[in-house]
Amino acid sequence: MFKTATLEERRRYYREEWSEKDLPKFITDELRMREFGFDHLGHGPNDRYKVFRGKDSLRRFLRYKTPFAAYISVAFYNNPRRRGDWIKSEYVFDVDAKDLPIRSCDCDGVCEICLSEALEIVNNLIDTLESDLGIKNIHLIYSGRGYHIRILDDDIMDSDSELRSEILKYVAGAEVPKLKYGNISEGSGSSYNFEHFSIPIAYPKVFTKRIKYNIQHLKGNEEIDDINKKLLKDIIKNRDLLDDNQWGIFRSKIGPRRYKNMVTGMARVNLATIDAKVSIDLKRILRLPTSLHSKVSMKCVEVKDREWFDPFKSAVPKFVEERE
């Protein structure tokens, strides 16, 4: 399934299957203000600073060049050919199934299991973005080996890297709440403020939800900072208590000192689940929706229905079906 696409397969995809009509509107709006990049050899973007006046010129380029990969900037520029005169940038969360620090499968790339878990993670992130931060202009893209959350709210797009970093830490659950460890529970309603990012909402609930998810998906062979093998074994042994939200009993089974080590280690896991460099980079390029991820022979597509999306039904090129 996840074999590298050949040149002939790429040619067939861009000439017979790809259509500019499938490009999301948030991509085609102000298209000429974005930088495009391409990988023609399979070693990463080696053809950048491209600009297209419209969908027709992009279509002609893709049909003629049949690139190994196609990218578009999250940034809008007055002079995209030089990445000059920056205007604004999308805010992005990049969750790659193959890089999940905790996942249920043992595959050496991606599979149905870890892709499903990556989707569950991004759904939780989007729920927090919408409910806690009131962000609405959110688009989810299946990238071929994971998901890109692309945010186009005006207030966020104007923000700098420092604010984006603080929002990332909040949404990911990447800092331990400044509370006594015994008070961290699903129902906690205490407030938490970042040093540079203050919102009167219940951050401990976000943090607890993230670490509960991690604990439920542990296999026992993970290597996590601050969590040794004995602690990992005891966490797994007692995690059924969390199904009934019995955090107090769970903590007593683990012990106060080791519980502190656990939440510190889980905060690092939460941050590692998302590629933080992508989130804070104002000039990053991402895979172009509708383009082919040639390393795995999957289409990069917009997810219209997060609840029912299945990449094995919606993102498989025709040549893969015929290949098999």
Side-chain angles (χ1 to χ4, degrees), residues 150-208:
R150 303 180 67 154
I151 300 168
L152 285 91
D153 273 31
D154 289 337
D155 290 341
I156 298 295
M157 291 181 74
D158 292 335
S159 63
D160 59 16
S161 295
E162 183 177 4
L163 178 58
R164 292 171 189 241
S165 176
E166 297 304 322
I167 295 174
L168 168 66
K169 287 185 284 186
Y170 181 96
V171 175
E175 290 191 358
V176 179
K178 292 181 173 63
L179 298 170
K180 293 181 179 179
Y181 296 103
N183 292 336
I184 298 177
S185 65
E186 186 71 39
S188 177
S190 302
S191 296
Y192 174 78
N193 293 329
F194 289 114
E195 184 177 354
H196 304 295
F197 178 60
S198 299
I199 296 182
I201 45 183
Y203 173 72
K205 185 175 181 180
V206 174
F207 181 81
T208 302

Side-chain angles (χ1 to χ4, degrees), residues 64-115:
Y64 177 71
K65 292 289 189 178
T66 58
F68 193 85
Y71 305 86
I72 188 171
S73 68
V74 300
F76 296 77
Y77 307 93
N78 282 321
N79 186 3
R81 196 177 298 279
R82 296 181 178 275
R83 291 196 294 173
D85 197 4
W86 178 88
I87 302 171
K88 58 186 178 181
S89 293
E90 298 176 32
Y91 183 35
V92 177
F93 289 79
D94 181 6
V95 177
D96 199 328
K98 70 178 179 60
D99 294 328
L100 294 178
I102 294 176
R103 59 181 191 170
S104 300
C105 64
D106 292 311
C107 73
D108 57 1
V110 292
C111 67
E112 187 173 359
I113 295 173
C114 56
L115 284 174

Side-chain angles (χ1 to χ4, degrees), residues 260-276:
K260 181 177 180 179
N261 290 341
M262 183 198 77
V263 295
T264 301
M266 287 300 174
R268 293 193 177 97
V269 168
N270 290 343
L271 184 59
T273 300
I274 302 168
D275 190 336

Side-chain angles (χ1 to χ4, degrees), residues 112-153:
E112 187 173 359
I113 295 173
C114 56
L115 284 174
S116 176
E117 291 177 352
L119 180 58
E120 184 178 359
I121 289 169
V122 298
N123 280 333
N124 287 334
L125 295 172
I126 291 173
D127 289 343
T128 301
L129 287 164
E130 291 178 337
S131 62
D132 282 26
L133 305 185
I135 296 174
K136 300 301 181 185
N137 195 351
I138 301 174
H139 301 267
L140 181 60
I141 306 297
Y142 172 69
S143 64
R145 292 195 296 199
Y147 294 89
H148 296 154
I149 301 172
R150 303 180 67 154
I151 300 168
L152 285 91
D153 273 31

